[in-house]
Amino acid sequence: MSKGLKILMLNLLLKFPVQFLWKLRCSSNSKTTQEEAFKNLINSAKDTLFGIDHNFEDIQNYEDFKRLVPIKHYEDLKPYMDKIVDGEENVLWPTQYQYLLATSKSTGDIQDKFIPISSESLKDLVNISLDMLLNFAVKIKNYSILLQRGLYLTASPDLERKGKYPHGLLSGVSYYLKPKILRNFGLPSFETNSMKDWEKKIVAIENEIIHDDMGIIVGTPPWVNKLLINLSHRIKKPLNQHFKSLKLFMFGGAPIELYRKQVQSILGDDVYILENYPASEGFIGFQDEFPSKGLLLQTNYGIFYEFIKKNDYYKGEYNRIRLEDLELDQEYAVILNTNSGLFSYVIGDLIKFHSNSPYRFTITGRLRHFLKVNEKYLNDGDLSTPIYKYIQDKSLPIGEFTFAPSTEGVDLYFETNDDVIMSNSTLAQMADFLKQNINFHHVKENAAYEYMKENLRLGGQYKITRIRNDRNIVEFLDKYKI
């Protein structure tokens, strides 16, 4: 039986059960589920150390909660986190933790930051991942995609230990969230994915998958892009003509706009490129419509959401609101309350809602990634996102880039191929488009890669920061200036 006929038969066999399951799981009322989440979280954690310290037993409504539980940054929770590592239980959450999730150094947070994840959170993470795939299968009427082999370009699943808990990046931990029977169903193999040397690992991945087939690719855009470029040099045709089942590239952890045209060209026109938003603190949303209409907020999986307007946050005016009170097209800092025991927790992301029926949003940047220019705070939404679009619209040969403060305004360091020189008029037009006084600095190709290699890590969830209010990155890049 041919592969095409097998897929056709699988689609017929799976169509009605998948459609039924999708309809069953996708119906929810955001306001009702948020009210239930709030009550469940408070009741569950009231006898924890954190709940006792913050008088959870006196919380009757949201106003009580805001009064008794001020916003928390990681530094505020670190004393509780230290107790968890030391083996104490019932500190933030009453049930046993399963993992401690590390976060990448590129976020700019303290080095030893980690997030505990409970069995409830793990269950929700798996459920939302299933919802995401069910939604995709139903929308494109390709039900066999649920059984296709996938390539997961993740951090190492070879976890370390912190206290009594396994410890690693979320994308590495995700290996263990699959049933054991399915762990060998994905690529690369455990042995290959555990390799410490990224440059050797990516070659090993290429060799491992080149003669296989896969329907799904998952990973962070800059590293998937690098892998795809290498594969295209070997295959010399769109990848969906080589991997016959390939239908979906699912990304998260970084914007794709800088790489989108190249990635789409390498994958093939019929491959969907979709975004998801699985933060270490919880799975917040995924793209449920295509072409893009933003990410669908997940409101019925153990998270109660709060928001602070971006400008209020930077002024230290932490006026929190619930989901039902937010304004559309307004940038908000995201505050989470989760069934891993994080309460009033600032995760560091900025988002903007474009719809409240259902709640759909876009990620606009990171709170810690900003420049302060003339008493105004500029984030990714002000600089990086517009320049992604400008580069693509104008087909400019710019690769990686980063913004930094200067005495005269803003410095932009950018890569091109070493033999490409950007004209002064082109750069002036870019500055006008961004409405900023920008000093441009051309650096050699792969300068950002060298920075990553020396200062962070290669692969996985790690990526270069696009905007910093210091010159740490660009001081390194200075030695690569052209």
Side-chain angles (χ1 to χ4, degrees):
M1 183 184 298
S2 69
K3 185 173 182 63
L5 185 57
K6 287 181 180 178
I7 291 176
L8 179 61
M9 292 181 66
L10 264 178
N11 270 326
L12 291 173
L13 184 66
L14 293 173
K15 178 178 179 180
F16 293 108
V18 169
Q19 286 182 340
F20 175 77
L21 187 59
W22 176 73
K23 290 179 181 178
L24 189 67
R25 295 172 67 89
C26 288
S27 59
S28 66
N29 179 286
S30 297
K31 182 177 179 180
T32 300
T33 55
Q34 282 292 277
E35 290 173 351
E36 291 173 353
F38 176 74
K39 293 175 183 176
N40 290 338
L41 291 171
I42 298 303
N43 289 333
S44 297
K46 65 181 180 182
D47 293 324
T48 64
L49 177 60
F50 185 92
I52 293 170
D53 286 348
H54 293 82
N55 302 108
F56 273 28
E57 63 180 13
D58 296 331
I59 296 175
Q60 301 298 316
N61 52 48
Y62 180 55
E63 294 305 316
D64 289 341
F65 178 73
K66 287 197 293 183
R67 175 173 52 85
L68 293 171
V69 188
I71 70 163
K72 304 291 183 183
H73 296 90
Y74 188 83
E75 293 82 352
D76 302 313
L77 292 184
K78 193 171 188 308
Y80 295 96
M81 300 296 190
D82 291 341
K83 292 180 184 295
I84 291 169
V85 173
D86 289 341
E88 292 190 35
E89 298 183 359
N90 207 38
V91 176
L92 293 174
W93 192 248
T95 60
Q96 183 70 41
Y97 287 118
Q98 302 298 308
Y99 299 92
L100 301 180
L101 300 181
T103 62
S104 64
K105 286 167 61 178
S106 63
T107 60
D109 289 309
I110 61 178
Q111 296 298 304
D112 196 30
K113 180 178 174 182
F114 60 88
I115 300 296
I117 184 167
S118 67
S119 56
E120 293 94 332
S121 288
L122 283 177
K123 181 180 177 181
D124 290 337
L125 181 65
V126 172
N127 278 326
I128 297 174
S129 299
L130 177 58
D131 287 350
M132 181 173 60
L133 286 175
L134 286 172
N135 178 78
F136 179 72
V138 170
K139 295 288 177 64
I140 70 165
K141 297 181 172 58
N142 183 340
Y143 309 101
S144 66
I145 194 74
L146 296 169
L147 300 180
Q148 295 294 337
R149 202 160 163 85
L151 169 65
Y152 301 91
L153 199 61
T154 68
S156 172
D158 187 12
L159 305 180
E160 301 173 353
R161 296 196 72 84
K162 187 177 287 291
K164 65 179 180 179
Y165 298 104
H167 174 252
L169 291 166
L170 174 59
S171 62
V173 169
S174 65
Y175 171 84
Y176 299 94
L177 305 187
K178 304 183 187 77
K180 287 185 179 180
I181 195 171
L182 295 180
R183 287 180 188 171
N184 292 326
F185 199 61
L187 299 166
S189 64
F190 181 90
E191 292 74 20
T192 297
N193 213 17
S194 297
M195 294 175 66
K196 303 300 183 185
D197 187 318
W198 168 257
E199 292 169 324
K200 293 180 180 178
K201 174 177 173 176
I202 197 169
V203 173
I205 291 173
E206 292 170 34
N207 292 332
E208 191 168 282
I209 69 175
I210 193 76
H211 299 300
D212 211 315
D213 190 20
M214 54 190 175
I216 302 171
I217 298 175
V218 179
T220 303
W223 305 114
V224 171
N225 185 50
K226 185 169 181 60
L227 174 65
L228 295 182
I229 291 171
N230 292 356
L231 284 171
S232 70
H233 289 159
R234 297 177 65 171
I235 294 172
K236 301 186 185 308
K237 59 184 176 180
L239 296 191
N240 64 343
Q241 294 180 24
H242 178 82
F243 303 109
K244 301 296 186 180
S245 302
L246 186 57
K247 291 296 179 186
L248 173 63
F249 168 38
M250 182 68 72
F251 74 92
I256 197 173
E257 295 315 312
L258 189 63
Y259 319 97
R260 183 182 290 275
K261 283 187 178 180
Q262 184 172 42
V263 166
Q264 190 74 75
S265 175
I266 295 173
L267 291 174
D269 291 340
D270 294 335
V271 178
Y272 290 84
I273 299 177
L274 302 181
E275 184 176 9
N276 63 4
Y277 184 12
S280 299
E281 298 84 1
F283 203 141
I284 295 172
F286 63 83
Q287 185 179 337
D288 68 319
E289 296 286 352
F290 357 104
S292 175
K293 294 183 179 178
L295 305 180
L296 180 69
L297 188 73
Q298 299 302 294
T299 60
N300 56 343
Y301 283 108
I303 297 176
F304 176 72
Y305 296 93
E306 300 178 272
F307 306 93
I308 300 174
K309 289 182 179 180
K310 181 181 83 168
N311 292 337
D312 286 350
Y313 179 88
Y314 284 128
K315 291 187 290 187
E317 299 172 2
Y318 301 141
N319 305 308
R320 291 141 61 191
I321 61 170
R322 293 170 292 185
L323 182 63
E324 62 190 86
D325 298 319
L326 63 80
E327 302 171 23
L328 299 183
D329 298 316
Q330 173 77 243
E331 278 192 283
Y332 288 99
V334 182
I335 317 297
L336 294 188
N337 304 274
T338 77
N339 53 7
S340 282
L342 301 178
F343 287 94
S344 300
Y345 185 69
V346 182
I347 67 170
D349 291 335
L350 287 163
I351 66 176
K352 179 188 292 185
F353 283 88
H354 305 288
S355 166
N356 55 15
S357 182
Y359 286 99
R360 286 201 181 94
F361 66 94
T362 54
I363 305 167
T364 60
R366 293 280 298 171
L367 282 168
R368 290 179 182 262
H369 298 171
F370 68 88
L371 289 175
K372 189 175 181 181
V373 179
N374 297 326
E375 300 304 314
K376 183 178 181 181
Y377 293 89
L378 303 177
N379 295 85
D380 284 296
D382 304 299
L383 294 174
S384 296
T385 302
I387 204 174
Y388 288 140
K389 186 177 187 310
Y390 191 83
I391 290 169
Q392 294 297 314
D393 288 349
K394 303 294 184 180
S395 298
L396 299 179
I398 292 178
E400 302 293 342
F401 64 85
T402 188
F403 289 94
S406 74
T407 56
E408 300 173 359
V410 178
D411 279 352
L412 173 60
Y413 283 64
F414 66 94
E415 293 181 10
T416 66
N417 294 335
D418 292 348
D419 58 349
V420 174
I421 301 297
M422 303 287 288
S423 70
N424 289 334
S425 61
T426 298
L427 297 178
Q429 289 169 12
M430 192 186 307
D432 288 341
F433 177 77
L434 293 175
K435 300 180 174 61
Q436 298 296 328
N437 180 23
I438 296 179
N439 307 303
F440 294 94
H441 304 271
H442 187 185
V443 298
K444 294 181 178 180
E445 189 176 16
N446 292 323
Y449 184 88
E450 293 301 320
Y451 172 82
M452 292 285 294
K453 189 174 181 178
E454 184 166 324
N455 293 276
L456 298 172
R457 295 182 187 175
L458 300 177
Q461 297 170 214
Y462 295 93
K463 62 273 183 185
I464 194 165
T465 303
R466 299 296 184 198
I467 300 176
R468 285 181 63 124
N469 202 37
D470 60 48
R471 298 186 60 81
N472 291 347
I473 296 177
V474 299
E475 284 175 356
F476 178 93
L477 298 180
D478 274 333
K479 58 188 175 184
Y480 293 94
K481 286 173 67 170
I482 296 175

